[in-house]
Amino acid sequence: MLATLARVAALRRTGLLSRRGGGRGLWTGRPQSDTDNMKPLEGVRILDLTRVLAGPFATMNLGDLGAEVIKVERPGAGDDTRTWGPPFVGTESTYFLSVNRNKKSIAVNIKDPKGVKIIKELAAVCDVFVENYVPGKLSAMGLGYEDIDVIAPHIVYCSITGYGQTGPLSQRAGYDAVASAVSGLMHITGPEVACLTHVAANYLIGQEEARRWGTAHGSIVPYQAFKTKDGYLVVGAGNNQQFATVCKILNLPELIDDSKYRTNHLRVQNRKELIKILSARFEEEMTSKWLHLFEGSGVPYGPINNMKNVFAEPQVLHNGLVVEMKHPTVGKISVPGPAVRYSEFKMSEAGPPPLLGQHTTHILKEVLRYHDRAITELFSAGVVTQHEVE
């Protein structure tokens, strides 16, 4: 989808493409930037009806790439995560702040026909419509795919659901922990999270039921976290050469040619005995000592960091993975930044997560070209609300 949106953005900048639709004040393209740091989605407009995590995280990434994101929220309450805490910064939930930068907020009651009309008019002047409601809920309000397609046939309509649009579980809400449980992920990891692809294939191909390995791997040994004198170190030896390197670093060269550990297959068979030997050795030294010894070895390794150490990692600092912003009510805040980097542009200063309805008047007036009288009537009727920034 990103490639498609990038092409749309390029066409808009050249003036070869404009939005279709019946809304007032149709957007017909923005002037081309005279800088070399043009964001790939600059000129693309996103109508964001998502809440909580999956949808807001997706649209935040689009905003990071230059798209204009219009976040639709419930008057009075807003996104559910505005109340998720502690921790809070002032009155703002850090959960909400973490996934809603680079967005504008409009507070609209979509259960009111006048609110539905506003959403449809916004859809007509947007390129993408993103929602994460239970299937059928928006259709009941007149905002389903079929409804939006009539007034905005150009739009990309993205629906994020827990179980899909159809089927026996389609009406259930879905959170990540539930998905981990239902998919079998928690069966093999407990509270940990891991990729289930090879585990699923093991069952489908070989009818081998999954086991719970914690940080370890069912098919590779050694591949897990080892306790050190002061913490933990994760080491993964994916081939015989890497295993030999691990043995040399641990000063256990006798294991390299031991008939019980010569191949990965044998190491898996003799997992318990081998891990006991390796674990005893790892516990003899501090984590920093092992990090020094493994440096440049070619073996995948890394410490289990707490948050303080995560953000002190040289690679995290080098990649600029922390974004600082000035929030209108709580001042300076820092959140994790986008993990993806592009060759042709650098991430510029991010816009702070919006207050609930902070941009309601701006969007109605500048995007939909509503007159002041019409806006006042909507406020009086409670169809929309605005959070004034002092």
Side-chain angles (χ1 to χ4, degrees):
M1 186 174 79
L2 283 178
T4 300
L5 293 181
R7 287 194 290 272
V8 169
L11 289 171
R12 292 213 191 288
R13 289 195 290 266
T14 61
L16 296 177
L17 185 65
S18 62
R19 292 186 179 87
R20 295 174 289 166
R24 53 173 63 76
L26 292 182
W27 189 93
T28 57
R30 296 181 177 85
Q32 187 168 2
S33 171
D34 57 359
T35 70
D36 295 328
N37 197 35
M38 176 69 73
K39 294 188 175 184
L41 296 187
E42 190 167 324
V44 172
R45 184 178 284 150
I46 313 294
L47 185 55
D48 179 9
L49 274 74
T50 68
R51 308 92 69 218
V52 187
L53 179 60
F57 182 77
T59 55
M60 180 182 71
N61 278 285
L62 299 178
D64 287 341
L65 296 176
E68 178 186 5
V69 179
I70 298 174
K71 181 178 179 70
V72 178
E73 300 189 72
R74 293 174 294 165
D79 190 312
D80 292 346
T81 61
R82 287 186 181 274
T83 65
W84 285 13
F88 292 95
V89 183
T91 60
E92 303 296 323
S93 160
T94 58
Y95 196 113
F96 176 85
L97 296 175
S98 71
V99 289
N100 284 287
R101 65 174 174 268
N102 288 326
K103 300 178 185 180
K104 298 173 181 176
S105 172
I106 179 172
V108 182
N109 181 5
I110 61 175
K111 294 182 179 180
D112 188 301
K114 293 179 181 178
V116 171
K117 179 173 179 287
I118 291 172
I119 301 303
K120 288 184 174 180
E121 290 174 342
L122 283 172
V125 295
C126 287
D127 301 292
V128 180
F129 185 113
V130 190
E131 57 91 3
N132 62 349
Y133 283 79
V134 171
K137 191 163 186 178
L138 283 187
S139 294
M141 300 179 188
L143 295 173
Y145 171 74
E146 295 78 8
D147 305 297
I148 299 302
D149 185 51
V150 171
I151 51 95
H154 64 283
I155 208 163
V156 176
Y157 192 109
C158 175
S159 179
I160 303 169
T161 67
Y163 297 90
Q165 295 294 322
T166 60
L169 302 184
S170 62
Q171 294 303 300
R172 288 189 186 179
Y175 277 174
D176 53 354
V178 177
S180 295
V182 174
S183 68
L185 186 58
M186 284 188 178
H187 174 69
I188 62 168
T189 64
E192 305 292 338
V193 175
C195 182
L196 195 58
T197 303
H198 74 281
V199 177
N202 287 347
Y203 176 76
L204 293 173
I205 297 172
Q207 284 72 56
E208 180 182 335
E209 185 54 86
R211 294 174 57 188
R212 185 172 295 179
W213 292 108
T215 64
H217 196 292
S219 302
I220 306 171
V221 174
Y223 190 114
Q224 65 180 74
F226 291 95
K227 193 175 187 306
T228 67
K229 249 185 180 180
D230 62 337
Y232 289 88
L233 185 75
V234 176
V235 175
N239 56 51
N240 295 334
Q241 182 178 345
Q242 290 180 347
F243 175 67
T245 301
V246 170
C247 292
K248 292 174 183 176
I249 292 173
L250 270 60
N251 196 25
L252 296 171
E254 66 276 10
L255 299 180
I256 298 174
D257 295 319
D258 191 308
S259 60
K260 298 191 295 292
Y261 314 128
R262 197 167 290 161
T263 67
N264 181 69
H265 188 182
L266 291 169
R267 292 192 289 274
V268 171
Q269 287 181 337
N270 297 286
R271 174 194 302 267
K272 187 174 182 180
E273 180 182 343
L274 177 57
I275 295 303
K276 182 178 180 181
I277 296 171
L278 299 179
S279 296
R281 179 70 182 101
F282 273 109
E283 283 199 73
E284 293 176 0
E285 305 289 352
M286 307 285 278
T287 302
S288 58
K289 176 71 175 293
W290 291 125
L291 292 175
H292 174 72
L293 291 174
F294 274 91
E295 178 66 31
S297 67
V299 175
Y301 72 99
I304 294 183
N305 285 327
N306 59 24
M307 288 298 101
K308 180 179 179 180
N309 290 335
V310 165
F311 292 108
E313 279 282 357
Q315 191 65 39
V316 171
L317 299 175
H318 171 79
N319 288 346
L321 295 181
V322 177
V323 172
E324 293 184 348
M325 297 170 287
K326 186 176 181 181
H327 190 271
T329 62
V330 300
K332 182 180 176 181
I333 60 173
S334 297
V335 298
V340 180
R341 291 294 181 270
Y342 297 83
S343 59
E344 299 299 323
F345 84 101
K346 295 181 179 180
M347 293 293 179
S348 57
E349 185 176 349
L355 302 175
L356 174 58
Q358 180 179 340
H359 305 94
T360 297
T361 299
H362 167 81
I363 293 168
L364 292 174
K365 184 176 291 188
E366 302 300 328
V367 178
L368 295 182
R369 306 300 188 208
Y370 272 47
H371 297 299
D372 290 342
R373 181 177 178 181
I375 295 174
T376 300
E377 290 175 353
L378 289 170
F379 278 115
S380 298
V383 177
V384 300
T385 60
Q386 169 91 19
H387 194 303
E388 299 295 342
V389 179
E390 296 180 359

